[in-house]
Coordinates of all heavy atoms in Angstrom, one line a residue:
H1 N 0.8 -1.2 0.0 CA 0.0 0.0 0.0 C 0.8 1.3 0.0 O 0.5 2.3 -0.6 CB -0.9 0.0 1.2 CG -1.9 1.1 1.3 ND1 -3.0 1.3 0.4 CD2 -1.9 2.3 2.0 CE1 -3.6 2.4 0.7 NE2 -3.0 3.0 1.6
Y2 N 2.0 1.2 0.7 CA 2.8 2.5 0.9 C 4.1 2.6 0.1 O 4.7 3.6 0.0 CB 3.1 2.6 2.4 CG 1.9 2.9 3.2 CD1 1.3 1.8 3.9 CD2 1.3 4.2 3.4 CE1 0.2 2.0 4.7 CE2 0.2 4.4 4.2 CZ -0.4 3.3 4.9 OH -1.4 3.5 5.7
R3 N 4.5 1.5 -0.6 CA 5.8 1.5 -1.2 C 5.8 2.5 -2.4 O 6.9 3.2 -2.6 CB 6.2 0.1 -1.7 CG 5.3 -0.5 -2.8 CD 5.9 -1.8 -3.2 NE 5.0 -2.5 -4.1 CZ 5.3 -3.6 -4.7 NH1 6.5 -4.2 -4.6 NH2 4.5 -4.2 -5.5
D4 N 4.7 2.7 -3.1 CA 4.7 3.7 -4.2 C 4.7 5.1 -3.7 O 4.9 6.0 -4.5 CB 3.5 3.4 -5.1 CG 3.6 2.1 -5.9 OD1 4.8 1.6 -6.1 OD2 2.6 1.6 -6.4
R5 N 4.5 5.3 -2.4 CA 4.5 6.6 -1.8 C 5.8 6.9 -1.1 O 6.0 7.9 -0.4 CB 3.3 6.7 -0.9 CG 2.0 6.5 -1.6 CD 0.9 6.4 -0.6 NE -0.3 5.9 -1.3 CZ -1.5 5.8 -0.7 NH1 -1.7 6.1 0.6 NH2 -2.6 5.3 -1.4
G6 N 6.8 5.9 -1.3 CA 8.1 6.2 -0.8 C 8.6 5.3 0.4 O 9.8 5.3 0.7
L7 N 7.7 4.5 1.0 CA 8.0 3.7 2.1 C 9.0 2.6 1.7 O 8.8 1.9 0.7 CB 6.8 3.1 2.8 CG 7.1 2.2 4.0 CD1 7.6 3.0 5.2 CD2 5.9 1.4 4.4
R8 N 10.0 2.4 2.5 CA 10.9 1.2 2.4 C 10.7 0.3 3.5 O 10.5 0.7 4.7 CB 12.4 1.7 2.3 CG 12.7 2.7 1.2 CD 12.6 2.0 -0.2 NE 12.9 2.9 -1.3 CZ 12.1 3.7 -2.0 NH1 10.8 3.6 -1.7 NH2 12.5 4.4 -3.0
V9 N 10.8 -1.0 3.3 CA 10.7 -2.0 4.3 C 11.9 -2.9 4.3 O 12.4 -3.3 3.2 CB 9.4 -2.9 4.2 CG1 9.4 -4.0 5.2 CG2 8.2 -2.0 4.3
V10 N 12.5 -3.2 5.5 CA 13.7 -4.1 5.6 C 13.4 -5.1 6.7 O 12.9 -4.7 7.7 CB 14.9 -3.2 5.9 CG1 16.2 -4.1 6.0 CG2 15.2 -2.2 4.8
G11 N 13.8 -6.3 6.4 CA 13.7 -7.3 7.5 C 15.1 -7.6 8.1 O 16.1 -7.6 7.4
V12 N 15.1 -7.8 9.4 CA 16.4 -8.2 10.1 C 16.1 -9.5 10.8 O 15.4 -9.5 11.8 CB 16.8 -7.1 11.1 CG1 18.1 -7.5 11.8 CG2 17.1 -5.7 10.3
A13 N 16.8 -10.5 10.4 CA 16.7 -11.8 11.0 C 17.6 -11.9 12.2 O 18.8 -11.7 12.1 CB 17.0 -12.9 10.0
V14 N 17.0 -12.2 13.4 CA 17.8 -12.2 14.6 C 17.6 -13.6 15.3 O 16.5 -14.2 15.1 CB 17.4 -11.1 15.6 CG1 17.6 -9.8 15.0 CG2 15.9 -11.2 16.0
A15 N 18.6 -14.1 16.0 CA 18.5 -15.4 16.7 C 18.0 -16.5 15.8 O 17.2 -17.3 16.2 CB 17.7 -15.2 17.9
D16 N 18.5 -16.5 14.6 CA 17.9 -17.5 13.6 C 19.1 -18.2 12.9 O 20.3 -18.0 13.2 CB 17.1 -16.7 12.6 CG 16.0 -17.5 12.0 OD1 15.9 -18.7 12.2 OD2 15.1 -16.9 11.4
K17 N 18.7 -19.2 12.1 CA 19.6 -19.9 11.3 C 19.4 -19.6 9.8 O 18.2 -19.4 9.4 CB 19.5 -21.4 11.5 CG 19.7 -21.9 12.9 CD 21.1 -21.6 13.4 CE 21.3 -22.1 14.8 NZ 22.6 -21.7 15.4
R18 N 20.4 -19.4 9.0 CA 20.3 -18.9 7.6 C 19.4 -19.8 6.8 O 18.5 -19.3 6.0 CB 21.7 -18.8 7.0 CG 22.4 -17.6 7.4 CD 23.6 -17.3 6.4 NE 24.2 -16.1 6.8 CZ 23.9 -14.8 6.4 NH1 22.8 -14.7 5.6 NH2 24.5 -13.8 6.8
E19 N 19.5 -21.1 6.9 CA 18.7 -22.0 6.1 C 17.2 -21.9 6.5 O 16.4 -21.8 5.6 CB 19.1 -23.5 6.3 CG 20.5 -23.8 5.9 CD 21.6 -23.3 6.9 OE1 21.2 -22.9 8.0 OE2 22.8 -23.4 6.6
A20 N 16.9 -21.8 7.8 CA 15.5 -21.6 8.2 C 15.0 -20.3 7.8 O 13.8 -20.1 7.4 CB 15.4 -21.8 9.7
H21 N 15.8 -19.3 7.9 CA 15.4 -17.9 7.5 C 15.1 -17.9 6.0 O 14.0 -17.3 5.6 CB 16.5 -16.9 7.8 CG 16.3 -15.6 7.2 ND1 15.3 -14.7 7.6 CD2 17.0 -14.9 6.2 CE1 15.4 -13.6 7.0 NE2 16.4 -13.7 6.1
A22 N 16.0 -18.4 5.1 CA 15.7 -18.4 3.7 C 14.4 -19.2 3.3 O 13.7 -18.7 2.5 CB 16.9 -19.1 3.0
K23 N 14.2 -20.3 4.0 CA 12.9 -21.0 3.8 C 11.7 -20.2 4.2 O 10.7 -20.2 3.4 CB 13.0 -22.3 4.6 CG 11.8 -23.2 4.4 CD 11.9 -24.5 5.3 CE 10.7 -25.4 5.1 NZ 10.7 -26.6 6.0
A24 N 11.8 -19.5 5.3 CA 10.6 -18.7 5.7 C 10.4 -17.5 4.8 O 9.2 -17.2 4.5 CB 10.9 -18.2 7.1
V25 N 11.4 -16.9 4.3 CA 11.3 -15.8 3.3 C 10.5 -16.3 2.1 O 9.6 -15.7 1.6 CB 12.7 -15.3 2.9 CG1 12.6 -14.4 1.7 CG2 13.3 -14.5 4.1
A26 N 10.9 -17.5 1.6 CA 10.2 -18.1 0.4 C 8.8 -18.5 0.7 O 7.9 -18.2 -0.1 CB 11.0 -19.3 -0.1
E27 N 8.6 -19.1 1.9 CA 7.2 -19.5 2.2 C 6.3 -18.4 2.4 O 5.1 -18.4 2.0 CB 7.3 -20.4 3.5 CG 7.9 -21.7 3.4 CD 8.0 -22.5 4.7 OE1 7.8 -21.8 5.8 OE2 8.3 -23.7 4.6
D28 N 6.7 -17.3 3.0 CA 5.9 -16.1 3.3 C 5.8 -15.1 2.2 O 5.2 -14.1 2.3 CB 6.4 -15.4 4.6 CG 6.1 -16.3 5.8 OD1 5.5 -17.4 5.7 OD2 6.6 -16.0 6.9
G29 N 6.6 -15.4 1.1 CA 6.5 -14.5 -0.1 C 7.1 -13.1 0.2 O 6.5 -12.1 -0.2
I30 N 8.1 -13.0 1.0 CA 8.7 -11.8 1.4 C 9.6 -11.2 0.3 O 10.6 -11.9 -0.2 CB 9.6 -11.9 2.7 CG1 8.7 -12.4 3.8 CG2 10.3 -10.6 3.1 CD1 9.4 -12.8 5.1
S31 N 9.3 -10.0 -0.2 CA 10.0 -9.5 -1.3 C 10.9 -8.3 -1.0 O 11.7 -7.8 -1.8 CB 9.0 -9.0 -2.4 OG 8.1 -8.1 -1.9
W32 N 10.9 -7.8 0.3 CA 11.7 -6.7 0.7 C 13.1 -7.3 1.2 O 13.2 -8.4 1.5 CB 11.1 -5.9 1.8 CG 10.5 -6.6 2.9 CD1 11.1 -7.0 4.1 CD2 9.1 -7.1 3.0 NE1 10.2 -7.7 4.9 CE2 9.0 -7.8 4.3 CE3 8.0 -7.0 2.2 CZ2 7.8 -8.3 4.7 CZ3 6.8 -7.6 2.6 CH2 6.7 -8.3 3.8
P33 N 14.1 -6.4 1.2 CA 15.5 -6.9 1.5 C 15.6 -7.4 2.9 O 14.9 -6.9 3.8 CB 16.4 -5.7 1.2 CG 15.4 -4.5 1.2 CD 14.1 -5.0 0.8
Q34 N 16.6 -8.3 3.1 CA 16.8 -8.9 4.4 C 18.3 -8.7 4.9 O 19.2 -8.8 4.0 CB 16.5 -10.4 4.4 CG 15.0 -10.7 4.1 CD 14.1 -10.3 5.2 OE1 14.3 -10.7 6.3 NE2 13.0 -9.6 4.9
I35 N 18.5 -8.5 6.1 CA 19.8 -8.5 6.7 C 19.8 -9.6 7.8 O 18.9 -9.7 8.6 CB 20.2 -7.2 7.4 CG1 20.1 -6.1 6.3 CG2 21.5 -7.2 8.1 CD1 20.3 -4.7 6.9
F36 N 20.8 -10.5 7.8 CA 20.9 -11.5 8.8 C 21.9 -11.1 9.9 O 23.1 -10.9 9.6 CB 21.4 -12.8 8.2 CG 21.3 -14.0 9.0 CD1 20.1 -14.8 9.0 CD2 22.3 -14.4 9.9 CE1 20.0 -15.9 9.8 CE2 22.2 -15.5 10.7 CZ 21.0 -16.3 10.7
S37 N 21.4 -11.0 11.1 CA 22.2 -10.5 12.3 C 21.8 -11.4 13.5 O 20.9 -11.0 14.2 CB 22.1 -9.0 12.5 OG 22.9 -8.7 13.6
E38 N 22.5 -12.5 13.7 CA 22.0 -13.4 14.7 C 22.0 -12.7 16.1 O 21.1 -13.0 16.9 CB 23.0 -14.6 14.8 CG 22.5 -15.7 15.7 CD 23.2 -17.0 15.5 OE1 24.1 -17.1 14.7 OE2 22.9 -18.0 16.3

């Protein structure tokens, strides 16, 4: 709703495992950028 008006969204994966994180991103259809910081 808001990205065409300028909003940016970023995900930060915390206390996670990279493989599980990548799987969740695919399952949930997440299209915004991600940073992995355990």
Side-chain angles (χ1 to χ4, degrees):
H1 185 73
Y2 293 97
R3 64 176 172 174
D4 290 340
R5 300 170 193 183
L7 180 70
R8 302 291 184 262
V9 176
V10 178
V12 178
V14 299
D16 212 343
K17 301 298 180 186
R18 280 195 178 273
E19 297 80 5
H21 170 68
K23 182 181 178 183
V25 167
E27 289 175 349
D28 293 352
I30 297 171
S31 55
W32 48 89
Q34 299 287 311
I35 300 174
F36 191 92
S37 178
E38 189 170 356

